[in-house]
Structure formats: C-alpha cells, structure tokens
Amino acid sequence: MNFFIKNYGCQMNIYDSARMIDILSAAGHKECKHLDEANIFIFNTCSIREKADEKLFSDLGRAKSIKFKIQDAGESCIIVVCGCVAQAKKEAIFNRAPYVDAVVGTQEIHNIANVINEVIEKKKNNEYSNVLMGVLNTKSKFEALKTTNITERSYSEYLTIQEGCDNFCTYCVVPYTRGREFSRDAKDIIDEAKKMVSIGVKEITLLGQNVNSYHGEGTDGRIWKLSRLLYAMAEIDGLARLRYVTSNPKDVSTDIAEAHRDIDILMPFLHLPVQSGSDKILKKMNRKYTTDEYLRCIDMLRAYKPDMAFSSDFIVGFPGESDQDFEDTLKLAEKVRFAQAYSFKYSPRSNTAAAKMENQVPEKIKSERLKILQDMLNNHQNEFNENTVGKTVDVLFTKRGKFKNQLVGRTEYSQAISVCDKSINIGDIAFVKVTEIKSHSLVGSVKKK
Ligand code: 5AD
Ligand code: SF4
C-alpha cells in the first residue's frame, strides 16, 4: 500500500517517522509525499503545544472524508495515529474518531508494519479495526529498530540515543508520553550512525529529551557518558558534523566542555533551555538549577570553547510569575545574548503538576510578556547574525532554494544561509563569505578553496 506520514512536533518525532518509513518500506509499502496519493494515513502527533488534540482531530476529520471516498470506490484505506497524543489519549481517540484504525504509542513504532497487517486482516474479516499499541517499553523499541535497515536519508539527520525523562519538570508532558529515561547502547548508536554515513549523511544530531544525561553501555562494557560517546562518534569516517540536543543545564559537566574543545566535528553551538530567569520560578518548575548555576555553566563552556554560542527555550507566564520574576528573565536573556531562542506562553498540560498550581497568570499578561521577551531575543539573534557579515563561515548545503542555482544550508551555528553558485551541490560543505542578512537568514558567496 502507499503511505503518507504527517509529522507534528519535535526532532524525536522526525526520527520516529524516518524509522517508520524504513520499516514500512522494508515491508513492501511505498512512501508518498502527499496524502491524496496514499491509502495509509499516519499522523505522528505531538502534545507539547496547546490545542494539540484539536489540531489532530481537525486533520482526522479531513482524512475521514478522503477515507470514505476511497472506500466508496471499493479500495481499502487505513488511518493510524502515532506519537505523543496517541500515547496520552490511547482508546479515547477511537471514542472520538471511530474511523481511526489504529493507535500506536511512542514506544511501539517498530510494530507499525504488524499493525497495518492486523488492520488489513480485520478488515478482510469485516471486523471493527481498532488496534491499540500503547506499552511504554523503550528498550524493546530500540532492540527491534537496530535490526531494521535504513532506507533514504538527507545530508543532515537525527539519531535518537536517549529517550524519556525522569526529571518531571512541573509543566512538561514528556514523562507521560515518552516514559522513563532510557539510554541506548553505544554500539547500536555507532552502528546506526555508520549506516547513515554509508548512504551519504554528513551531519548527525544526537537526540534525547535529556541528551546530556546519556548513560548507555559503552563498547568496552562500561557505562559511557555523553562526552565519551561524542569522542567515539568523532571517529566515524566520513561524518563531518556532530550535534546533540536537548541538554539540561543541571547535567552539564566539564567533560562536555572538554569534548567541545577537543572534537573538531562537534559544532560550537549548544541548545540549553533555561525556561526562566527567576530562581523562584525555576524551583516551582522543578528545574533543579539556579540562574547563577546556569550562567556559570555558560561561562564554563565559553572558557573551554571561546567561539561557543547558545540557544535556549523560555516559558513566560508560568503560575505565580510576578512582574519581578519576568524582569529577572529579561535580565538573564540580556546577560547571555542567545544566538537563537524559542519562547512560549505557559499552557497547562493534563497530568502535570503545574496545571493544578494556584496563581495561573492571565492570558493578557502572558501575551504582553511574550512580546517583550521575543523582541529582545530577536534583537540578540539579529545582532549575532549581523556579526557574521563579512566573515567566512563553514556551511553544509542541504537543499535547493527557490531561485536558479540557489542552495540553502546551515552554518556551524545552525543559521540558515543561501548562496547562488553553480559549482556547489547539496551535500557539499564549503566556506562561504557572508554578504548580507535577510530577516533571520544569511546570504553569502562561496569562497573558492
Ligand atoms: N507550556 C509552554 N511551553 C512549554 N514547553 C514545554 N511544556 C510547555 C508548556 N506546558 C516548552 C519548553 C520546552 C519546549 C520544547 O517547549 O520551553 O523546552
Ligand atoms: Fe511533542 Fe514532546 Fe512528544 Fe516531542 S516529545 S513529540 S515535543 S510532546
């Protein structure tokens, strides 16, 4: 059958979708880039943002009419919901959308081909096909995935090394949708990375909800920290760039800074979500670090790697956030001057502790604070980008642009950059002189080596 996967959410969902494509392709199904070419629709959902459920059900509504049309024409059509909303809602999805054939949780994606077969069987027998897979067993997922071959990849890819979370930040849904923290064995990670490189991947971003608390079994039988794994990854022939995301400030240690100093292919850019600049709010968020510790961590990394730049996540309007707490967040942002940052209004998630806290901040105040913070963060990002004008940067080109001979890539700091140059191809890494800034991206010309 022909399948189409709609991806919502974070990089981990992108990775999971890529693995489902591997599995379904191996089972003889064919991936399509558009829903109207497919007869298996897979929605790989995310529950991080507000109204995630509404978004899913409105997409499902549209898929339902297409499914009924296909069925009226005598063909078969299967709708599957995967990902974090699937994990959180499970059978409730069938109750609201009975035309959904299967709900597959985050740690069951390796079963996707079996699920499709089961649905096909049920349909053949004229049974109602509501297949539910919702067990949170991350170990068995990765055990199964390591034997699956890798099909097609781009030049820059994600590779999950750690999944789930034991931190229970009070706003966060992840422990409920991705389960307890699990680290894969280093051997499996390195094998998978080698397979990626053998089909042309140049840049790998190691993924984990708490990537820097990675503690998997090493190839020597000992427990490896993330830094040890980074050194091993750097030995893979043909791998040109290495990143990791997302780090928790409470787990940043000097060995990571040393890795940044020592490993050439490790990009000098770190996503280090701070969430708030108020110690009172950080405590209520259960983040387990203070603003002082956060700032010291940035200083330490800069001491080992002076050209290091940082990005971050912020939440404004967390329950109990006063004007003073928000001012403290602005002060922290001003001190660090992030190269990039994402900022969100706090919104309650079911099951989380913060959803039940008193002193929820009114929507109007959240919006006002978000605007002020975003203006500041934007200025810092522009300043960082403007500083690169006239300089030569290292770029990995990953796709073609809209214009003739235009190619788009990323700098070491993950800035989007475009050039127009016939001598360059996607997959190339080249030195580019930055000539101008256009909104949030850079424009440059290739420097001939
Ligand atoms: N409300 C607002 N933002 C949130 N994030 C996570 N949960 C919530 C929530 N309930 C933000 C955090 C996190 C990013 C991925 O999403 O900043 O780092
Ligand atoms: Fe969304 Fe979080 Fe799930 Fe990623 S882990 S898909 S961000 S809810």
Side-chain angles (χ1 to χ4, degrees):
M1 293 174 81
N2 295 335
F3 64 95
F4 167 80
I5 304 187
K6 172 154 180 175
N7 208 73
Y8 309 71
C10 66
Q11 296 102 326
M12 200 165 275
N13 260 13
I14 298 177
Y15 173 81
D16 286 348
S17 290
R19 300 311 328 253
M20 286 195 278
I21 295 171
D22 291 339
I23 292 164
L24 290 171
S25 306
H29 303 290
K30 190 173 166 289
E31 193 206 354
C32 314
K33 296 286 173 206
H34 301 283
L35 190 131
D36 47 13
E37 295 160 3
N39 49 2
I40 301 174
F41 310 153
I42 300 174
F43 296 93
N44 197 10
T45 60
C46 166
S47 41
I48 205 85
R49 300 282 152 252
E50 213 178 357
K51 304 204 178 88
D53 301 6
E54 295 318 310
K55 204 164 156 207
L56 168 68
F57 285 107
S58 96
D59 282 352
L60 281 177
R62 249 171 288 134
K64 171 187 161 190
S65 14
I66 304 175
K67 172 174 172 162
F68 288 170
K69 262 191 216 144
I70 295 176
Q71 287 181 343
D72 287 348
E75 301 281 320
S76 183
C77 179
I78 297 172
I79 301 182
V80 186
V81 178
C82 302
C84 289
V85 179
Q87 189 63 51
K89 301 277 168 199
K90 296 199 184 111
E91 48 277 282
I93 295 179
F94 295 125
N95 299 341
R96 196 163 151 191
Y99 48 87
V100 168
D101 297 287
V103 171
V104 179
T106 54
Q107 308 310 318
E108 299 266 18
I109 56 149
H110 56 291
N111 287 317
I112 188 74
N114 301 339
V115 167
I116 301 289
N117 286 342
E118 199 177 329
V119 171
I120 293 172
E121 276 309 303
K122 286 196 166 195
K123 281 183 187 290
K124 260 193 217 153
N125 300 330
N126 279 328
E127 286 172 46
Y128 177 50
S129 54
N130 55 343
V131 179
L132 173 66
M133 298 235 173
V135 176
L136 274 174
N137 188 341
T138 315
K139 193 172 170 36
S140 64
K141 162 175 161 177
F142 284 110
E143 275 304 310
L145 285 178
K146 77 178 181 195
T147 56
T148 312
N149 247 334
I150 284 182
T151 46
E152 220 183 281
R153 289 293 189 272
S154 64
Y155 292 102
S156 176
E157 282 293 334
Y158 297 116
L159 200 176
T160 298
I161 65 164
Q162 176 274 322
E163 194 168 337
C165 183
D166 294 343
N167 288 332
F168 290 92
C169 298
T170 55
Y171 52 81
C172 186
V173 77
V174 167
Y176 310 97
T177 61
R178 296 268 171 188
R180 294 288 75 73
E181 196 169 317
F182 171 82
S183 294
R184 297 176 67 186
D185 291 351
K187 181 181 180 306
D188 299 344
I189 295 166
I190 294 165
D191 284 350
E192 191 170 324
K194 283 183 177 164
K195 280 190 211 166
M196 284 184 174
V197 172
S198 76
I199 58 166
V201 173
K202 296 272 177 70
E203 175 177 87
I204 291 181
T205 302
L206 304 178
L207 292 181
Q209 265 91 28
N210 279 293
V211 76
N212 60 332
S213 74
Y214 172 81
H215 53 277
E217 189 179 310
T219 51
D220 53 7
R222 297 184 183 182
I223 294 297
W224 282 9
K225 291 169 81 172
L226 176 67
S227 53
R228 181 68 190 83
L229 179 66
L230 292 172
Y231 285 101
M233 291 285 297
E235 279 169 23
I236 298 175
D237 238 10
L239 182 62
R241 283 180 163 196
L242 186 58
R243 302 178 189 272
Y244 57 95
V245 78
T246 293
S247 298
N248 191 316
K250 79 177 174 58
D251 297 318
V252 176
S253 41
T254 44
D255 53 299
I256 278 289
E258 283 165 5
H260 275 282
R261 180 197 59 197
D262 299 343
I263 302 174
D264 284 346
I265 67 163
L266 188 57
M267 296 293 100
F269 187 57
L270 186 64
H271 185 57
L272 200 59
V274 64
Q275 312 298 0
S276 168
S278 151
D279 287 339
K280 179 189 101 190
I281 296 298
L282 287 175
K283 197 150 197 238
K284 287 185 80 180
M285 288 177 165
N286 194 28
R287 291 291 286 175
K288 303 188 186 93
Y289 55 85
T290 62
T291 47
D292 222 43
E293 283 161 348
Y294 183 87
L295 292 169
R296 268 191 274 141
C297 169
I298 299 261
D299 286 346
M300 186 269 290
L301 286 155
R302 280 182 174 150
Y304 280 82
K305 183 83 185 157
D307 61 347
M308 191 91 175
F310 299 89
S311 68
S312 202
D313 289 341
F314 289 85
I315 297 177
V316 300
F318 187 81
E321 185 187 73
S322 65
D323 286 343
Q324 183 57 52
D325 296 321
F326 177 63
E327 284 296 318
D328 290 344
T329 295
L330 294 177
K331 269 189 219 146
L332 182 134
E334 190 65 55
K335 265 192 201 143
V336 182
R337 305 185 89 81
F338 292 98
Q340 261 177 47
Y342 306 88
S343 45
F344 313 96
K345 287 191 267 187
Y346 167 74
S347 69
R349 292 285 168 279
S350 41
N351 292 324
T352 59
K356 294 168 215 115
M357 284 180 187
E358 288 176 1
N359 301 321
Q360 297 282 332
V361 175
E363 200 51 35
K364 186 167 167 284
I365 295 183
K366 282 189 210 171
S367 301
E368 284 167 8
R369 288 181 184 165
L370 187 68
K371 164 98 182 59
I372 296 169
L373 177 63
Q374 286 186 337
D375 285 348
M376 177 185 272
L377 296 170
N378 265 333
N379 286 340
H380 294 162
Q381 180 168 356
N382 289 339
E383 181 186 277
F384 183 81
N385 286 345
E386 273 155 21
N387 269 336
T388 56
V389 177
K391 292 193 179 135
T392 298
V393 295
D394 194 72
V395 177
L396 167 63
F397 291 98
T398 49
K399 56 183 182 191
R400 302 208 166 270
K402 278 186 275 182
F403 305 108
K404 198 169 173 231
N405 298 328
Q406 191 190 37
L407 286 158
V408 181
R410 295 262 166 196
T411 69
E412 293 183 313
Y413 298 107
S414 228
Q415 297 149 294
I417 182 162
S418 65
V419 301
C420 282
D421 196 307
K422 270 196 281 202
S423 67
I424 291 287
N425 276 312
I426 47 173
D428 286 351
I429 294 180
F431 287 121
V432 175
K433 185 167 181 190
V434 182
T435 49
E436 60 175 310
I437 311 285
K438 274 193 186 155
S439 71
H440 274 330
S441 67
L442 318 180
V443 181
S445 54
V446 175
K447 280 190 95 171
K448 305 292 172 222
K449 280 184 193 169

